[in-house]
Amino acid sequence: MESNVFIFDHPLIQHKISLLRDKRTTTKEFRELVGELAMLMAYEVTRDLPLKEVEIETPIAIAKTQVLAGKKLAIVPILRAGLGMVDGMLNLLPMAKVGHIGLYRDPKTLEPVEYYCKLPDDVTEREIVILDPMLATGGSASAAVTFLKERGITQIKFMCLIAAPEGIARLQKDHPDVPIFCAARDPRLNDHAYIVPGLGDAGDRLFGTK
Ligand code: PRP
Ligand code: URA
């Protein structure tokens, strides 16, 4: 297994991924599942956030206890499908800011084309989690990371639902410093660069466009 790749084997995550793959799952159910998965995964992705000790007065006594040390976070969904993961993340991380990167895969070249970018003003002070349900060839993820690094961002994590070996290899080769968090690692891509067995086109299933 590759280093810096974290695959979440929690039963709740695996169960929801199975429901997500099912072609009979409706758009409404698909959207709910993506949100729930993002929330469950947020729990693990934030495992290394620093804590600081504080004193809090309980009804009984003074407690020396721990709170988040104020590490600033931003989540950056890759449009469109990454949008489906935003609310789930914000449920657990209400203090996070949200940036957006618009990329689509050119259907002929399969290379990512950038069409939108809006990031928080203080983004270089923040740790970034890029969100996209699918890591297929890795072209979109790698371009998004390059894009953020060009703007001076140094601490970046990538979180997806399903990853193909090709995408993991590409992202690790281009950006070995970026840890990859995913719920499933599927065996391969097909001739159209769709993940097999995957779940189909995440954007279309999320927004009901096909
Ligand atoms: C999908 C997906 C990723 C990308 C993954 O988006 O959400 O962004 O493909 O493929 P890659 O790893 O080969 O780059 P798509 O380009 O279909 O755009 P959409 O979200 O607007 O549907
Ligand atoms: N994008 C998707 O939405 N699905 C895939 O399987 C690959 C890329």
Side-chain angles (χ1 to χ4, degrees), residues 11 21 29 64 84 91 98 102 109 111-112 119 124 126 133 153 168 183 186 193 198 201 209:
R21 291 186 191 275
E29 292 163 343
K64 281 196 166 92
N91 281 343
V98 184
T109 64
E111 281 304 308
L119 301 171
T124 52
R126 292 176 178 266
I153 298 162
I168 292 175
D186 278 10
D201 189 301
T209 37

Coordinates of all heavy atoms in Angstrom, one line a residue, residues 11 21 29 64 84 91 98 102 109 111-112 119 124 126 133 153 168 183 186 193 198 201 209:
P11 N -17.0 0.5 9.3 CA -18.2 -0.1 8.8 C -19.3 0.8 8.3 O -19.9 0.6 7.2 CB -18.7 -1.0 9.9 CG -17.6 -1.1 10.9 CD -16.7 0.1 10.7
R21 N -22.8 3.3 -4.6 CA -22.5 2.6 -5.8 C -23.7 2.1 -6.6 O -23.7 2.0 -7.8 CB -21.6 1.4 -5.5 CG -20.2 1.7 -5.0 CD -19.4 0.4 -5.0 NE -18.1 0.5 -4.3 CZ -17.0 0.8 -4.8 NH1 -17.0 1.2 -6.1 NH2 -15.9 0.8 -4.1
E29 N -31.2 10.4 -2.5 CA -30.5 9.5 -1.6 C -28.9 9.7 -1.8 O -28.2 9.7 -0.8 CB -30.8 8.0 -1.8 CG -32.3 7.7 -1.5 CD -32.8 6.4 -2.1 OE1 -32.2 5.9 -3.1 OE2 -33.8 5.9 -1.6
K64 N -9.1 21.0 34.0 CA -8.1 21.3 33.0 C -8.4 20.4 31.8 O -8.4 19.2 32.0 CB -6.7 21.0 33.6 CG -6.1 22.0 34.5 CD -4.6 21.7 34.6 CE -3.9 22.9 35.2 NZ -3.6 23.3 36.3
G84 N -21.0 18.5 -3.2 CA -21.8 17.6 -2.5 C -21.2 17.2 -1.1 O -21.9 16.7 -0.2
N91 N -20.7 20.6 8.9 CA -21.4 20.1 10.1 C -20.5 19.9 11.2 O -20.8 20.2 12.4 CB -22.2 18.8 9.8 CG -23.5 19.0 9.1 OD1 -24.0 20.2 9.0 ND2 -24.0 18.0 8.5
V98 N -14.7 28.4 3.1 CA -14.9 27.5 1.9 C -14.4 28.3 0.7 O -14.8 29.4 0.4 CB -16.4 27.2 1.7 CG1 -16.6 26.2 0.5 CG2 -17.0 26.5 3.0
G102 N -13.1 25.6 -10.0 CA -13.9 25.0 -11.0 C -13.0 24.3 -12.1 O -12.2 25.0 -12.7
T109 N -9.4 15.0 -24.4 CA -8.0 14.8 -23.9 C -8.0 14.2 -22.5 O -7.0 13.8 -22.0 CB -7.3 16.2 -23.8 OG1 -8.0 17.0 -22.9 CG2 -7.3 16.9 -25.2
E111 N -7.9 15.9 -20.0 CA -7.1 16.8 -19.1 C -8.0 17.8 -18.5 O -9.0 18.2 -19.1 CB -6.1 17.5 -20.0 CG -4.8 16.7 -20.3 CD -4.1 16.2 -19.1 OE1 -3.8 17.0 -18.2 OE2 -3.9 15.0 -19.0
P112 N -7.7 18.2 -17.2 CA -8.6 19.2 -16.6 C -8.5 20.6 -17.1 O -7.4 21.0 -17.5 CB -8.0 19.2 -15.1 CG -6.7 18.6 -15.2 CD -6.6 17.8 -16.4
L119 N -11.1 31.9 -3.6 CA -10.5 31.4 -2.3 C -10.6 32.5 -1.2 O -10.7 33.7 -1.5 CB -9.1 31.0 -2.5 CG -8.8 30.0 -3.6 CD1 -7.3 29.9 -3.8 CD2 -9.3 28.6 -3.2
T124 N -3.6 31.6 2.7 CA -2.3 31.1 2.9 C -2.0 30.8 4.4 O -1.0 30.1 4.7 CB -1.2 32.1 2.4 OG1 -1.5 33.3 3.0 CG2 -1.2 32.2 0.9
R126 N -4.1 29.1 6.2 CA -5.0 28.0 6.5 C -4.5 26.7 6.0 O -3.8 26.6 5.0 CB -6.4 28.3 5.9 CG -7.1 29.4 6.6 CD -8.4 29.8 6.0 NE -8.9 30.9 6.8 CZ -9.8 30.7 7.8 NH1 -10.2 29.5 8.2 NH2 -10.2 31.8 8.5
P133 N -15.4 13.9 -4.9 CA -15.7 12.4 -4.6 C -14.9 11.5 -5.4 O -14.6 10.4 -4.9 CB -17.2 12.3 -5.1 CG -17.7 13.7 -5.3 CD -16.5 14.6 -5.5
I153 N -0.1 28.4 -0.9 CA -0.6 27.5 0.2 C 0.3 26.3 0.3 O 0.7 25.7 -0.7 CB -2.0 27.0 -0.2 CG1 -2.9 28.3 -0.3 CG2 -2.6 26.0 0.8 CD1 -4.2 28.0 -1.1
I168 N -4.2 7.8 -7.6 CA -3.4 7.8 -6.4 C -1.9 8.0 -6.8 O -1.2 8.9 -6.3 CB -3.6 6.6 -5.6 CG1 -5.0 6.5 -5.0 CG2 -2.5 6.5 -4.5 CD1 -5.3 5.3 -4.2
A183 N -12.4 6.6 0.9 CA -13.3 5.6 1.5 C -13.1 4.3 0.8 O -13.3 3.2 1.4 CB -14.7 6.0 1.5
D186 N -10.6 1.5 -5.7 CA -11.1 0.5 -6.7 C -10.0 0.0 -7.5 O -8.9 0.6 -7.6 CB -12.2 1.2 -7.5 CG -13.5 1.2 -6.8 OD1 -13.6 0.9 -5.6 OD2 -14.5 1.5 -7.4
A193 N -11.8 6.5 -18.8 CA -11.2 7.0 -17.6 C -12.3 7.1 -16.5 O -12.2 8.0 -15.6 CB -10.5 8.3 -17.8
G198 N -16.5 1.7 -9.4 CA -16.9 3.1 -9.1 C -18.3 3.3 -8.8 O -19.0 2.5 -8.1
D201 N -20.9 8.7 -12.9 CA -20.5 10.1 -13.0 C -21.0 10.8 -11.7 O -22.2 10.9 -11.6 CB -21.1 10.7 -14.2 CG -20.5 12.1 -14.4 OD1 -20.7 13.0 -13.5 OD2 -19.9 12.4 -15.5
T209 N -28.3 15.3 -13.5 CA -28.2 15.9 -14.8 C -28.2 14.9 -16.0 O -28.2 15.3 -17.1 CB -27.0 16.8 -15.0 OG1 -25.9 16.2 -14.2 CG2 -27.2 18.2 -14.4

